[in-house]
Amino acid sequence: MFDGGGAGGFDMSNLLAQAQAMQDQLMKAQADLETQEVAGSAGGGLVTALVSGTGELLSLDIKKEAVDPDDTETLADLIVAAVRDASENAKAAAAQAMGPLAGGLPGFGGPAGDVPSPELPGGGIGFTKPSGPPGQNPV
C-alpha cells in the first residue's frame, strides 16, 4: 500500500508531475520535428532530397547533368538514394531530439537499467534484458 510519500513511501503526485513534464517535452520535440527540414543527396549532389523531420518528402532538386534520356534507370537510382539519405538524416535528427525522452521515468528503468536498443535510442521502455536461457525465468 502507498503511504503518500512518507519515509520509504511512494510519492504518486511527484510521479504524475514527472510523467506530465515528460509528455509536454515529447509533444514539443515532435512539433519541432514537424517543422524541421533535413536534406540528403546522391551522386555527389546531382540529386538532393528535402524531407521534414518526420520523414515526409518535401522536395527534390535534380541537376541537369543527372538527366540522360537514354539512362533513366541511373536517375531513378539517384533519386531513391537521395531520398533514403534524407530519411536516414531525419531519423538521426529525431533520435537526437527524442533521445533524452526515451529514457523513461527515474526508478522505472531507462538508460541506467536498460540494454541499448537500435529501435529505441537510449534503451528500451524500462525493461532490462533477462539473463539465463530463453524461455526460462531470469536468475
Side-chain angles (χ1 to χ4, degrees), residues 66 68-80:
D68 178 357
D70 295 326
D71 186 13
T72 58
E73 186 176 317
T74 298
L75 178 58
D77 290 343
L78 289 172
I79 292 170
V80 169

Side-chain angles (χ1 to χ4, degrees), residues 26-121:
L26 181 62
M27 290 176 70
K28 182 184 180 322
Q30 287 174 332
D32 290 345
L33 284 173
E34 289 175 6
T35 61
Q36 189 173 6
E37 294 182 352
V38 182
S41 65
L46 290 175
V47 177
T48 302
L50 189 66
V51 299
S52 70
T54 58
E56 179 185 357
L57 180 62
L58 301 173
S59 68
L60 279 173
D61 179 48
I62 302 170
K63 296 201 176 184
K64 290 179 185 179
E65 306 87 68
V67 181
D68 178 357
D70 295 326
D71 186 13
T72 58
E73 186 176 317
T74 298
L75 178 58
D77 290 343
L78 289 172
I79 292 170
V80 169
V83 171
R84 184 175 293 136
D85 185 44
S87 294
E88 289 299 319
N89 292 341
K91 285 180 190 177
Q96 183 176 8
M98 305 294 233
L101 303 175
L105 292 174
F108 286 88
D114 280 358
V115 174
S117 165
E119 296 83 27
L120 296 172

